Amino acid sequence: MAKQGGQETEVLLAAEQEDYGAAARTNIASTGGSALDGAAIRRSEGDDRFVGESFDNIPRAKRHLGLFSVVFLIFNRVIGTGIYATPSVILRTSGSVGVALLMWLLGALIAAAGTIVYTELGTGLPRSGGEKNYLEFIYRRPKFMATCAFSVYALITGSAAANSVVFGEYVVHSLSLTPSRYNTRFVAFLCLTFCLLAHGTMHKAGLRLQNTLGFFKLIILCAIAVSGMFCLIGVPGFEVKDGYEQARNFEWDKIWEGSVTDANAFVTGLYNVIWSFVGYSNANYALSEVKDPIQTIKRAAPLAMLFVTMVYMFVNVAYFAAVSKSDILGSRRIVAALFFRNLYGPATEKGLSVLVALSVLGNLLAGQFAQGRVIQELGREGILPYPSFFASNKPFNAPLTGLFTQYIVSCAFMLAPPPGDAYLFMISLSSYSLAIINTLVAFGLLLLYTSPYREWGWNPPFRSPKPVIILFCLTNAFLLVVPLIPPKRGSRTYEHLPYWLHVFVAYLVSLIGVAYWYVQCVWLPRRKGYRLKRQWVLQEDGVPRYVFRKVSRD
């Protein structure tokens, strides 16, 4: 926890005299006083713009994200490489085109539930930080423990190592070079450095690039969908080229052919579909920078996920319209490459590599934009060491410190592990950690509607139907249980590691966070005879942050 100097104390006193929390206190629940103290916005008859923008006491000049930017902040984060490669994996596990499409519909339903849940949480606590705010609000005892535990998870789940390496592989392939561990990781390192500089030193230009790539991605995927539809209905010029097997996947006797009855295979396929939709909560990490955050998140999140769902469904239909089932199952190439080959010839493969690389770059920019804000919020909370350093927007009016922290972690995950088990382990650890957080958030939201929690006044401007919250909670609990099921004979999760290792380490990470909380908030105060009192100060840029003051127990 941070130590306070004389200058900071003066800023604290000035802030208390000017009463910067007054605007927020007029529209939040009575439990907790200021919005910065963990109270939530009540459902209000007033102006949502005023309520949402005053909640976090962020100067309006710093709110630069509008509806368009928030839509593509989510859209870019959800769609990376999955839509180009995952459909072939889903087809293998489902056994038939019909079951594969049903899996995608079920995944869209689960993603819609998650979007609704995070929209409620975002309108109730319209502040950057995402799950940090929700866990801290719900799990208040022991004090500060949820935030400390989450701070360790935040570094893992925000890693961009996996996608940066994928970007490197596609860039190297587009340059007609043979991908290797060294050239792909060198390109990945350059990509991560570019993302850091774009969002950390010229954030407006970085945001424009991010939005442009998102819009470009949407146009390209729509073009793929339209091309496939034209192929399906027989429009001249969009036929499968001679020499390639004609696709008959939508003939009634073919669409259900080979459907699996093995529950384990179905679960594995659904697991992949669900992860293809992850990212619907991305805007919640940056709500302090959103104009009219309550209304914007209510509109942007459903709109972005509607775009995602339509793209996923129509592009899958396009693939199955142009590529035969046997070709998808028998080829080692990604289904998008087969699609371009069948309709436009093998010369288009390099062009596809460029498209996938740009899609991944947009995904990386959106992810790092949000994750940098999470680290900054942990600095604002006073949880991290040197909190004023992590909370600062200096020197480029952007959370450069938070972005750089995430950059270091991503580079370490990208460069250190050798190919094979270690790298797959890192990806699995990040995914499983996110499932733990989502389960706690969904279960906590259900708790807020029980009798013991009603005195906290949770009554946000937007509310999720309880069946939707239950569906989202059960889905994430499902994601926690599936990796514990032993793989079938003849298949292995890892070559040399036990299949459950990433699960064990994910829970070990939470214990590290709890240990950090115990030392900082329990053991040291007891040993030295003080208690921690959290107050807030104003930074030079007018943005408030928390500080911990040591108060004598006497």
Side-chain angles (χ1 to χ4, degrees):
M1 307 300 174
K3 294 182 179 180
Q4 284 66 241
Q7 182 179 359
E8 192 171 65
T9 303
E10 291 176 0
V11 178
L12 170 65
L13 294 175
E16 290 176 336
Q17 291 169 1
E18 294 181 36
D19 199 13
Y20 279 86
R25 279 195 290 271
T26 61
N27 290 287
I28 60 177
S30 58
T31 57
S34 169
L36 293 175
D37 293 326
I41 283 181
R42 283 181 174 177
R43 197 179 306 214
S44 173
E45 298 293 334
D47 184 354
D48 277 347
R49 176 185 297 273
F50 171 79
V51 175
E53 292 192 355
S54 64
F55 176 80
D56 199 20
N57 295 277
I58 300 295
R60 180 168 291 184
K62 294 187 176 297
R63 295 185 178 272
H64 55 94
L65 299 179
L67 179 65
F68 184 85
S69 294
V70 175
V71 166
F72 283 106
L73 186 62
I74 300 171
F75 182 84
N76 252 330
R77 185 68 182 90
V78 177
I79 298 184
T81 59
I83 190 57
Y84 300 101
T86 305
S88 58
V89 177
I90 305 305
L91 182 61
R92 289 188 185 96
T93 56
S94 65
S96 71
V97 171
V99 175
L101 292 175
L102 287 177
M103 282 185 176
W104 283 99
L105 281 174
L106 184 56
L109 177 64
I110 294 169
T115 303
I116 292 170
V117 166
Y118 273 91
T119 299
E120 172 174 353
L121 292 164
T123 58
L125 294 165
R127 179 187 181 194
S128 292
E131 293 94 343
K132 178 200 73 66
N133 300 321
Y134 317 141
L135 294 173
E136 185 175 71
F137 179 85
I138 298 166
Y139 303 105
R140 302 186 183 187
R141 296 289 183 272
K143 204 169 185 179
F144 311 131
M145 188 177 75
T147 310
C148 288
F150 175 81
S151 64
V152 184
Y153 275 122
L155 295 175
I156 296 175
T157 58
S159 170
N163 275 345
S164 66
V165 172
V166 172
F167 175 84
E169 290 173 346
Y170 278 99
V171 168
V172 169
H173 185 269
S174 68
L175 297 174
S176 301
L177 300 174
T178 302
S180 69
R181 178 185 178 187
Y182 300 101
N183 58 20
T184 56
R185 278 159 175 72
F186 177 70
V187 176
F189 172 75
L190 294 179
C191 176
L192 290 173
T193 304
F194 173 77
C195 292
L196 170 67
L197 296 176
H199 283 322
T201 64
M202 44 184 180
H203 68 282
K204 290 184 179 180
L207 185 61
R208 284 194 293 268
L209 175 62
Q210 178 177 297
N211 291 342
T212 301
L213 288 173
F215 187 72
F216 172 77
K217 186 189 305 186
L218 178 61
I219 295 299
I220 293 300
L221 291 172
C222 286
I224 292 174
V226 171
S227 298
M229 293 300 173
F230 284 173
C231 176
L232 184 63
I233 63 178
V235 174
F238 292 90
E239 306 93 348
V240 175
K241 302 296 182 184
D242 293 336
Y244 303 119
E245 184 179 356
Q246 297 294 317
R248 294 182 173 84
N249 295 316
F250 290 106
E251 295 178 2
W252 187 252
D253 60 332
K254 300 287 185 183
I255 192 170
W256 303 106
E257 186 179 64
S259 298
V260 297
T261 56
D262 180 17
N264 187 282
F266 184 87
V267 164
T268 302
L270 187 59
Y271 192 87
N272 281 277
V273 172
I274 291 171
W275 283 119
S276 296
F277 281 95
V278 166
Y280 41 77
S281 63
N282 203 46
N284 292 57
Y285 300 135
L287 283 178
S288 294
E289 299 179 36
V290 175
K291 302 173 185 176
D292 190 7
I294 293 177
Q295 290 299 329
T296 299
I297 195 66
K298 285 164 63 175
R299 295 166 183 162
L303 186 60
M305 294 309 296
L306 176 63
F307 286 160
V308 168
T309 301
M310 292 176 63
V311 162
Y312 277 175
M313 295 308 303
F314 283 114
V315 169
N316 269 281
V317 171
Y319 290 155
F320 294 134
V323 186
S324 69
K325 178 180 175 181
S326 60
D327 215 357
I328 296 173
L329 295 177
S331 176
R332 291 179 176 271
R333 301 165 70 185
I334 65 172
V335 65
L338 298 173
F339 174 85
F340 275 81
R341 182 203 67 181
N342 285 10
L343 290 189
Y344 303 111
T348 59
E349 190 171 347
K350 286 187 180 180
L352 174 64
S353 295
V354 174
L355 295 180
V356 176
L358 290 175
S359 178
V360 176
L361 179 58
N363 180 273
L364 285 165
L365 285 169
Q368 293 308 286
F369 179 92
Q371 290 301 324
R373 272 72 185 168
V374 174
I375 302 299
Q376 184 181 48
E377 285 303 305
L378 290 170
R380 287 183 67 193
E381 286 285 334
I383 294 297
L384 299 177
Y386 309 105
S388 59
F389 176 69
F390 285 98
S392 175
N393 274 315
K394 295 179 180 179
F396 301 105
N397 196 30
L400 179 60
T401 306
L403 290 164
F404 184 74
T405 303
Q406 203 62 63
Y407 169 78
I408 293 297
V409 173
S410 297
C411 285
F413 282 5
M414 181 265 295
L415 295 172
D421 281 352
Y423 190 69
L424 178 60
F425 168 77
M426 291 293 183
I427 299 173
S428 301
L429 174 61
S430 176
S431 300
Y432 196 84
S433 297
L434 183 60
I436 293 175
I437 294 169
N438 280 341
T439 303
L440 289 172
V441 166
F443 180 71
L445 184 56
L446 289 172
L447 288 179
L448 291 177
Y449 290 103
T450 61
S451 298
Y453 288 81
R454 282 176 185 160
E455 64 182 21
W456 293 7
W458 181 256
N459 193 20
F462 174 86
R463 296 182 69 171
S464 310
K466 286 187 180 178
V468 170
I469 306 174
I470 293 172
L471 172 64
F472 184 62
C473 185
L474 293 177
T475 300
N476 282 280
F478 159 78
L479 293 178
L480 295 180
V481 172
V482 168
L484 298 175
I485 301 174
K488 295 185 298 183
R489 288 185 178 181
S491 64
R492 297 177 63 89
T493 304
Y494 302 109
E495 288 296 323
H496 306 290
L497 301 176
Y499 69 90
W500 44 262
L501 185 62
H502 64 278
V503 176
F504 173 78
V505 174
Y507 290 112
L508 182 62
V509 165
S510 66
L511 292 179
I512 294 173
V514 171
Y516 176 73
W517 160 79
Y518 181 79
V519 170
Q520 293 288 349
C521 300
V522 180
W523 183 72
L524 281 177
R526 284 179 180 174
R527 183 182 178 187
K528 297 186 177 181
Y530 65 83
R531 61 185 177 87
L532 292 173
K533 180 180 181 181
R534 188 162 68 170
Q535 293 181 292
W536 58 280
V537 301
L538 289 180
Q539 300 179 129
E540 292 181 4
D541 57 2
V543 176
R545 70 173 181 85
Y546 279 123
V547 295
F548 285 86
R549 303 183 70 188
K550 297 176 181 178
V551 180
S552 173
R553 290 188 179 275
D554 299 333

